[in-house]
Amino acid sequence: MFSAEERLKIKDWEINNPNPTPAIDTLRRFQKENPHLVPTWLMGMDSFLDLPNWIGFPQHRTLCNLAVFQRKGIESGNISNTWDTVNLSEWQTNPPHKAGHIVHLGIDLPDISSTRIRQNASA
């Protein structure tokens, strides 16, 4: 899907691991291999609201920035005041160079989750 996009590199770390890989492990590996970069993690509001239940939380904030998409039927929420909120226009003109920032995207995603995509791919 992204083969023509030169600015993106696809990493297959998680898919090549025979065991489930917590997101925090992927973020730590990314930082170790790319200490000069801060990734932006794209996620739906449902995942954002569940983040406090994830392994390694709240260390995620020290390793990445978040871009959170609205989900139909899921109210926006704030799991923590520790993420520094940046509005979209500021993010686009002056993206953060340090971890710990969040931008909320008011775009409704299709009603499909990454879990459902993975389930359908293995079927």
Side-chain angles (χ1 to χ4, degrees), residues 42-47 54 71-72 74 109-121:
L42 309 175
M43 67 173 56
M45 182 60 70
D46 52 335
S47 294
W54 290 29
R71 287 272 198 200
K72 289 181 182 181
I74 298 178
L109 291 178
D111 188 21
I112 188 167
S113 68
S114 59
T115 301
R116 198 159 81 196
I117 291 170
R118 283 190 299 273
Q119 289 169 343
N120 290 342

mmCIF file of all heavy atoms in Angstrom, residues 42-47 54 71-72 74 109-121:
data_model
loop_
_atom_site.group_PDB
_atom_site.id
_atom_site.type_symbol
_atom_site.label_atom_id
_atom_site.label_comp_id
_atom_site.label_asym_id
_atom_site.label_seq_id
_atom_site.Cartn_x
_atom_site.Cartn_y
_atom_site.Cartn_z
ATOM 1 N N LEU A 42 -0.348 6.582 14.920
ATOM 2 C CA LEU A 42 -1.717 6.823 14.490
ATOM 3 C C LEU A 42 -2.620 5.811 15.162
ATOM 4 O O LEU A 42 -2.351 4.608 15.110
ATOM 5 C CB LEU A 42 -1.836 6.678 12.967
ATOM 6 C CG LEU A 42 -0.838 7.457 12.119
ATOM 7 C CD1 LEU A 42 -1.016 7.107 10.648
ATOM 8 C CD2 LEU A 42 -0.964 8.937 12.348
ATOM 9 N N MET A 43 -3.696 6.289 15.783
ATOM 10 C CA MET A 43 -4.622 5.366 16.440
ATOM 11 C C MET A 43 -6.019 5.953 16.471
ATOM 12 O O MET A 43 -6.198 7.169 16.385
ATOM 13 C CB MET A 43 -4.158 5.011 17.856
ATOM 14 C CG MET A 43 -4.177 6.145 18.848
ATOM 15 S SD MET A 43 -3.809 5.639 20.561
ATOM 16 C CE MET A 43 -2.249 4.835 20.411
ATOM 17 N N GLY A 44 -6.989 5.078 16.610
ATOM 18 C CA GLY A 44 -8.369 5.509 16.775
ATOM 19 C C GLY A 44 -8.636 5.883 18.223
ATOM 20 O O GLY A 44 -7.897 5.494 19.135
ATOM 21 N N MET A 45 -9.714 6.641 18.428
ATOM 22 C CA MET A 45 -10.082 7.082 19.773
ATOM 23 C C MET A 45 -10.302 5.887 20.702
ATOM 24 O O MET A 45 -9.975 5.950 21.891
ATOM 25 C CB MET A 45 -11.347 7.946 19.721
ATOM 26 C CG MET A 45 -11.781 8.489 21.073
ATOM 27 S SD MET A 45 -10.566 9.532 21.902
ATOM 28 C CE MET A 45 -10.589 10.976 20.861
ATOM 29 N N ASP A 46 -10.810 4.765 20.173
ATOM 30 C CA ASP A 46 -11.026 3.586 21.013
ATOM 31 C C ASP A 46 -9.707 3.075 21.595
ATOM 32 O O ASP A 46 -9.630 2.761 22.782
ATOM 33 C CB ASP A 46 -11.754 2.482 20.236
ATOM 34 C CG ASP A 46 -11.090 2.138 18.911
ATOM 35 O OD1 ASP A 46 -10.378 2.993 18.331
ATOM 36 O OD2 ASP A 46 -11.284 1.006 18.430
ATOM 37 N N SER A 47 -8.661 3.032 20.788
ATOM 38 C CA SER A 47 -7.344 2.604 21.289
ATOM 39 C C SER A 47 -6.778 3.621 22.262
ATOM 40 O O SER A 47 -6.200 3.260 23.292
ATOM 41 C CB SER A 47 -6.367 2.406 20.134
ATOM 42 O OG SER A 47 -6.771 1.337 19.332
ATOM 43 N N TRP A 54 -2.637 -0.720 28.563
ATOM 44 C CA TRP A 54 -1.596 -1.335 27.744
ATOM 45 C C TRP A 54 -0.329 -1.559 28.560
ATOM 46 O O TRP A 54 -0.008 -0.799 29.478
ATOM 47 C CB TRP A 54 -1.281 -0.461 26.541
ATOM 48 C CG TRP A 54 -2.388 -0.420 25.522
ATOM 49 C CD1 TRP A 54 -3.721 -0.567 25.734
ATOM 50 C CD2 TRP A 54 -2.234 -0.208 24.136
ATOM 51 N NE1 TRP A 54 -4.408 -0.458 24.566
ATOM 52 C CE2 TRP A 54 -3.515 -0.235 23.557
ATOM 53 C CE3 TRP A 54 -1.144 0.019 23.310
ATOM 54 C CZ2 TRP A 54 -3.733 -0.061 22.205
ATOM 55 C CZ3 TRP A 54 -1.368 0.196 21.961
ATOM 56 C CH2 TRP A 54 -2.643 0.152 21.416
ATOM 57 N N ARG A 71 -13.645 8.182 16.290
ATOM 58 C CA ARG A 71 -14.357 6.963 15.904
ATOM 59 C C ARG A 71 -15.849 7.215 16.028
ATOM 60 O O ARG A 71 -16.297 7.800 17.018
ATOM 61 C CB ARG A 71 -13.986 5.790 16.820
ATOM 62 C CG ARG A 71 -12.624 5.238 16.589
ATOM 63 C CD ARG A 71 -12.718 4.200 15.534
ATOM 64 N NE ARG A 71 -11.536 3.355 15.565
ATOM 65 C CZ ARG A 71 -11.173 2.630 14.542
ATOM 66 N NH1 ARG A 71 -11.891 2.617 13.448
ATOM 67 N NH2 ARG A 71 -10.103 1.892 14.598
ATOM 68 N N LYS A 72 -16.614 6.760 15.059
ATOM 69 C CA LYS A 72 -18.066 6.917 15.119
ATOM 70 C C LYS A 72 -18.593 6.250 16.373
ATOM 71 O O LYS A 72 -18.231 5.120 16.689
ATOM 72 C CB LYS A 72 -18.722 6.297 13.885
ATOM 73 C CG LYS A 72 -18.466 7.068 12.628
ATOM 74 C CD LYS A 72 -19.145 6.435 11.442
ATOM 75 C CE LYS A 72 -18.804 7.226 10.198
ATOM 76 N NZ LYS A 72 -19.423 6.707 8.999
ATOM 77 N N ILE A 74 -17.964 6.875 19.453
ATOM 78 C CA ILE A 74 -17.090 6.890 20.628
ATOM 79 C C ILE A 74 -16.798 8.343 20.984
ATOM 80 O O ILE A 74 -16.273 9.097 20.172
ATOM 81 C CB ILE A 74 -15.778 6.120 20.368
ATOM 82 C CG1 ILE A 74 -16.090 4.658 20.071
ATOM 83 C CG2 ILE A 74 -14.830 6.272 21.549
ATOM 84 C CD1 ILE A 74 -14.887 3.810 19.760
ATOM 85 N N LEU A 109 -13.108 7.689 11.174
ATOM 86 C CA LEU A 109 -12.558 6.525 10.476
ATOM 87 C C LEU A 109 -13.681 5.567 10.111
ATOM 88 O O LEU A 109 -14.723 5.556 10.759
ATOM 89 C CB LEU A 109 -11.560 5.792 11.381
ATOM 90 C CG LEU A 109 -10.261 6.506 11.692
ATOM 91 C CD1 LEU A 109 -9.427 5.645 12.638
ATOM 92 C CD2 LEU A 109 -9.480 6.789 10.431
ATOM 93 N N PRO A 110 -13.473 4.741 9.110
ATOM 94 C CA PRO A 110 -14.473 3.698 8.827
ATOM 95 C C PRO A 110 -14.659 2.818 10.062
ATOM 96 O O PRO A 110 -13.756 2.699 10.894
ATOM 97 C CB PRO A 110 -13.841 2.898 7.688
ATOM 98 C CG PRO A 110 -12.809 3.786 7.101
ATOM 99 C CD PRO A 110 -12.336 4.687 8.212
ATOM 100 N N ASP A 111 -15.797 2.202 10.166
ATOM 101 C CA ASP A 111 -16.108 1.361 11.328
ATOM 102 C C ASP A 111 -15.423 0.010 11.205
ATOM 103 O O ASP A 111 -16.060 -1.017 11.015
ATOM 104 C CB ASP A 111 -17.626 1.197 11.460
ATOM 105 C CG ASP A 111 -17.997 0.496 12.758
ATOM 106 O OD1 ASP A 111 -17.169 0.500 13.700
ATOM 107 O OD2 ASP A 111 -19.098 -0.068 12.829
ATOM 108 N N ILE A 112 -14.084 0.035 11.287
ATOM 109 C CA ILE A 112 -13.298 -1.196 11.262
ATOM 110 C C ILE A 112 -12.071 -0.973 12.130
ATOM 111 O O ILE A 112 -11.498 0.106 12.141
ATOM 112 C CB ILE A 112 -12.912 -1.614 9.825
ATOM 113 C CG1 ILE A 112 -12.271 -2.990 9.831
ATOM 114 C CG2 ILE A 112 -12.033 -0.563 9.178
ATOM 115 C CD1 ILE A 112 -12.152 -3.617 8.474
ATOM 116 N N SER A 113 -11.688 -1.973 12.877
ATOM 117 C CA SER A 113 -10.555 -1.847 13.781
ATOM 118 C C SER A 113 -9.366 -2.635 13.235
ATOM 119 O O SER A 113 -9.519 -3.520 12.397
ATOM 120 C CB SER A 113 -10.921 -2.385 15.168
ATOM 121 O OG SER A 113 -11.106 -3.781 15.103
ATOM 122 N N SER A 114 -8.180 -2.321 13.741
ATOM 123 C CA SER A 114 -6.987 -3.071 13.333
ATOM 124 C C SER A 114 -7.114 -4.531 13.751
ATOM 125 O O SER A 114 -6.638 -5.423 13.055
ATOM 126 C CB SER A 114 -5.728 -2.435 13.919
ATOM 127 O OG SER A 114 -5.797 -2.398 15.330
ATOM 128 N N THR A 115 -7.782 -4.776 14.872
ATOM 129 C CA THR A 115 -8.001 -6.161 15.305
ATOM 130 C C THR A 115 -8.808 -6.918 14.261
ATOM 131 O O THR A 115 -8.465 -8.045 13.891
ATOM 132 C CB THR A 115 -8.738 -6.191 16.659
ATOM 133 O OG1 THR A 115 -7.948 -5.486 17.626
ATOM 134 C CG2 THR A 115 -8.978 -7.616 17.128
ATOM 135 N N ARG A 116 -9.856 -6.294 13.755
ATOM 136 C CA ARG A 116 -10.692 -6.947 12.754
ATOM 137 C C ARG A 116 -9.921 -7.151 11.442
ATOM 138 O O ARG A 116 -10.057 -8.177 10.791
ATOM 139 C CB ARG A 116 -11.967 -6.164 12.513
ATOM 140 C CG ARG A 116 -13.022 -7.028 11.822
ATOM 141 C CD ARG A 116 -14.399 -6.490 12.020
ATOM 142 N NE ARG A 116 -14.649 -5.418 11.076
ATOM 143 C CZ ARG A 116 -15.624 -4.542 11.168
ATOM 144 N NH1 ARG A 116 -16.439 -4.580 12.192
ATOM 145 N NH2 ARG A 116 -15.775 -3.611 10.273
ATOM 146 N N ILE A 117 -9.087 -6.213 11.069
ATOM 147 C CA ILE A 117 -8.268 -6.357 9.859
ATOM 148 C C ILE A 117 -7.341 -7.555 10.016
ATOM 149 O O ILE A 117 -7.208 -8.375 9.113
ATOM 150 C CB ILE A 117 -7.476 -5.063 9.576
ATOM 151 C CG1 ILE A 117 -8.441 -3.955 9.144
ATOM 152 C CG2 ILE A 117 -6.417 -5.301 8.496
ATOM 153 C CD1 ILE A 117 -7.809 -2.587 9.060
ATOM 154 N N ARG A 118 -6.681 -7.657 11.184
ATOM 155 C CA ARG A 118 -5.766 -8.790 11.412
ATOM 156 C C ARG A 118 -6.536 -10.115 11.393
ATOM 157 O O ARG A 118 -6.043 -11.108 10.856
ATOM 158 C CB ARG A 118 -5.032 -8.610 12.738
ATOM 159 C CG ARG A 118 -3.909 -7.591 12.679
ATOM 160 C CD ARG A 118 -3.040 -7.619 13.940
ATOM 161 N NE ARG A 118 -3.786 -7.308 15.155
ATOM 162 C CZ ARG A 118 -3.996 -6.086 15.612
ATOM 163 N NH1 ARG A 118 -3.529 -5.042 14.970
ATOM 164 N NH2 ARG A 118 -4.649 -5.894 16.732
ATOM 165 N N GLN A 119 -7.708 -10.153 11.982
ATOM 166 C CA GLN A 119 -8.502 -11.386 11.996
ATOM 167 C C GLN A 119 -8.876 -11.797 10.582
ATOM 168 O O GLN A 119 -8.804 -12.964 10.229
ATOM 169 C CB GLN A 119 -9.758 -11.207 12.843
ATOM 170 C CG GLN A 119 -9.476 -11.128 14.316
ATOM 171 C CD GLN A 119 -10.696 -10.695 15.133
ATOM 172 O OE1 GLN A 119 -11.662 -10.152 14.601
ATOM 173 N NE2 GLN A 119 -10.611 -10.915 16.437
ATOM 174 N N ASN A 120 -9.270 -10.837 9.754
ATOM 175 C CA ASN A 120 -9.656 -11.153 8.374
ATOM 176 C C ASN A 120 -8.449 -11.564 7.536
ATOM 177 O O ASN A 120 -8.571 -12.390 6.634
ATOM 178 C CB ASN A 120 -10.366 -9.956 7.728
ATOM 179 C CG ASN A 120 -11.723 -9.733 8.316
ATOM 180 O OD1 ASN A 120 -12.315 -10.611 8.956
ATOM 181 N ND2 ASN A 120 -12.267 -8.540 8.127
ATOM 182 N N ALA A 121 -7.277 -11.001 7.818
ATOM 183 C CA ALA A 121 -6.078 -11.340 7.055
ATOM 184 C C ALA A 121 -5.634 -12.770 7.328
ATOM 185 O O ALA A 121 -5.093 -13.442 6.446
ATOM 186 C CB ALA A 121 -4.952 -10.383 7.396
#
